[in-house]
Amino acid sequence: MSILSKIQRINELVTRLYNYYIPPFKIALATLTEDELQNTLNNLFNKTKPYSWFRLDGKYYTTTLDLFKKVVEWDWTDSRKYISESFDCDKFSIYFKSRMAIDYGINAIGVILDYSGGHAYNLVIVKNPNPQLYLFEPQTDEIFTYDNRNTRLYPMKANGWVLIL
């Protein structure tokens, strides 16, 4: 096999991998205004207050619920193997938050460290056209509202959880 044919083969394999990795659809991003972000979080905080919350960015970008679901379907976070104390719930939620920001530009995703339930998962803000807040389980791709959550798995007791956004 000549060097040229080897290079062509490598190029073919890289192209296949790229096509597998990059979704075949575009992500339309929407900016959350400061008021939208604060009002959305205040609606949640009126139901249950975190022990603390940490803001990581000055501006937040999101998409619609339908596009978010499409991204989740494409994403492979849920296919990762759970490994206790090595790649467990907190790593899943941090990994998912990071992938969404790095690969899709969606950074309106938080990590909830729910000490009241001994679990970690994600908070997601989408815009349809108004901001809506959801909880997301990155191990199973389940998305649900705060009011419709399983309170045994996602208790979010007042002052019993931390939000990293």
Side-chain angles (χ1 to χ4, degrees), residues 19-67:
N19 290 337
Y20 176 76
Y21 185 73
I22 302 299
F25 51 87
K26 295 286 183 204
I27 306 298
L29 293 177
T31 303
L32 286 172
T33 67
E34 187 63 27
D35 284 344
E36 289 173 327
L37 177 67
Q38 291 299 327
N39 290 338
T40 303
L41 291 176
N42 285 339
N43 287 339
L44 175 64
F45 296 166
N46 287 334
K47 296 175 183 179
T48 180
K49 295 197 181 331
Y51 174 76
S52 188
W53 81 282
F54 302 96
R55 185 173 177 157
L56 301 179
D57 294 308
K59 287 189 174 219
Y60 287 89
Y61 303 95
T62 190
T63 192
T64 65
L65 180 59
D66 288 340
L67 273 174

Side-chain angles (χ1 to χ4, degrees), residues 31-154:
T31 303
L32 286 172
T33 67
E34 187 63 27
D35 284 344
E36 289 173 327
L37 177 67
Q38 291 299 327
N39 290 338
T40 303
L41 291 176
N42 285 339
N43 287 339
L44 175 64
F45 296 166
N46 287 334
K47 296 175 183 179
T48 180
K49 295 197 181 331
Y51 174 76
S52 188
W53 81 282
F54 302 96
R55 185 173 177 157
L56 301 179
D57 294 308
K59 287 189 174 219
Y60 287 89
Y61 303 95
T62 190
T63 192
T64 65
L65 180 59
D66 288 340
L67 273 174
F68 177 74
K69 287 178 177 179
K70 218 172 173 179
V71 168
V72 165
E73 190 177 308
W74 182 264
D75 177 67
W76 59 66
T77 299
D78 62 314
S79 68
R80 297 288 308 250
K81 182 178 179 185
Y82 179 97
I83 303 169
S84 182
E85 302 303 326
S86 178
F87 198 86
D88 51 9
C89 60
D90 57 319
K91 283 28 155 244
F92 268 92
S93 60
I94 292 166
Y95 179 78
F96 181 77
K97 176 183 178 37
S98 298
R99 276 188 52 81
M100 294 301 104
I102 293 165
D103 294 343
Y104 305 101
I106 302 170
N107 67 341
I109 296 177
V111 172
I112 293 177
L113 303 173
D114 193 343
Y115 293 100
S116 66
H119 190 41
Y121 42 95
N122 296 101
L123 173 144
V124 177
I125 302 172
V126 296
K127 208 166 175 180
N128 278 341
N130 297 317
Q132 297 171 317
L133 186 140
Y134 290 91
L135 301 177
F136 178 74
E137 176 56 70
Q139 295 178 67
T140 60
D141 286 353
E142 292 176 84
I143 187 167
F144 44 92
T145 64
Y146 172 83
D147 294 330
N148 292 328
R149 76 195 188 287
N150 177 335
T151 57
R152 189 178 62 73
L153 295 173
Y154 314 98

Side-chain angles (χ1 to χ4, degrees), residues 1-15:
M1 184 179 253
S2 74
I3 189 78
L4 181 58
S5 59
K6 287 179 182 178
I7 291 171
Q8 288 170 334
R9 178 69 177 144
I10 290 170
N11 187 45
E12 175 189 327
L13 293 173
V14 167
T15 301

